[in-house]
Amino acid sequence: MSLPYVLVLHGLNGSGPAHWQNWLAGELAHHGAQVDMPVFADPDRPTLDVWLAELRTHLMAAPSTGERVVVAHSLACLLWLHHADTCDDPALRVDRVLLVAPPRPQHDEPLIATFVQPPQDPAALRRAAASTRLVAGEGDPHLTLAEAKLLAESLRIDLDVIVGGGHLNPDTDYGPWPAVLKWVRSDRTPLTPR
């Protein structure tokens, strides 16, 4: 079975070396997958228009054949929702997307002000990707489980809840995460704790 092309998208402040996204990129590359893990401009003070342009540059550079997968964490989830809303070019479409630990759509963090209130259009989401899945951690200070359920319902996508997962980052011991690797390689769902 051939491995997909995987675009790994970080959130605010990037994904440090202990983050599961870095572990995932390393594991996929080790197994021969083509992985792209860009560092967006000014990750500590992001601007939606800049990140959207950079995202689309990476999507346009991605292989046009084979499966294309996006794995987004935190702020990158809101970035993807904005992208989906204006994605009308088939070259920008992917096969599968995993949205992990998004901040609440109306978050009051000033640093992400341009990203909040993203469109929540299920039809647009399906134009941007054939399949999208949401993963939320119980105890995430940036998104309650009730908010995660509402978001999944409004987008008409499946939701996996990770008990005790928090923001699903190194602060809650999410470095190596074999379940997300299995999802990338074989679309195995639901996602489970590390």
Side-chain angles (χ1 to χ4, degrees):
M1 181 179 83
S2 64
L3 291 169
Y5 160 83
V6 185
L7 178 58
V8 181
L9 305 175
H10 68 74
L12 181 67
N13 306 124
S15 293
H19 199 286
W20 62 265
Q21 286 191 312
N22 277 298
W23 174 85
L24 175 66
E27 288 294 305
L28 287 167
H30 176 73
H31 288 96
Q34 187 174 348
V35 183
D36 185 5
M37 190 172 172
V39 176
F40 289 119
D42 211 354
D44 299 330
R45 302 186 78 70
T47 304
L48 176 62
D49 291 343
V50 172
W51 279 28
L52 264 178
E54 292 177 348
L55 168 61
R56 290 174 176 162
T57 297
H58 286 271
L59 287 170
M60 291 300 287
S64 57
T65 59
E67 188 180 29
R68 296 167 18 135
V69 174
V70 170
V71 179
H73 181 255
S74 194
L75 187 58
C77 299
L78 301 188
L79 172 68
W80 187 261
L81 295 180
H82 283 283
H83 162 72
D85 190 56
T86 56
C87 178
D88 51 13
D89 183 341
L92 299 174
R93 189 173 197 272
V94 300
D95 297 288
R96 292 187 286 135
V97 175
L98 192 65
L99 302 175
V100 180
R104 66 185 53 88
Q106 48 286 44
H107 206 296
D108 59 0
E109 166 56 59
L111 289 174
I112 65 169
T114 59
F115 290 78
V116 296
Q117 302 296 345
Q120 295 178 38
D121 179 355
L125 205 60
R126 285 173 204 8
R127 282 193 303 274
S131 170
T132 303
R133 189 167 200 91
L134 178 64
V135 182
E138 175 193 41
D140 188 338
H142 306 291
L143 183 78
T144 67
L145 290 187
E147 290 168 330
K149 288 175 186 170
L150 281 174
L151 182 59
E153 286 170 11
S154 73
L155 295 170
R156 296 190 196 124
I157 59 176
D158 289 327
L159 168 66
D160 296 322
V161 174
I162 306 297
V163 175
H167 196 49
L168 297 165
N169 62 8
D171 292 343
T172 51
D173 294 326
Y174 275 82
W177 189 6
V180 79
L181 177 62
K182 287 177 186 169
W183 179 86
V184 168
R185 294 180 72 177
S186 63
D187 198 10
R188 183 178 294 177
T189 54
L191 262 79
T192 57
R194 58 187 183 283

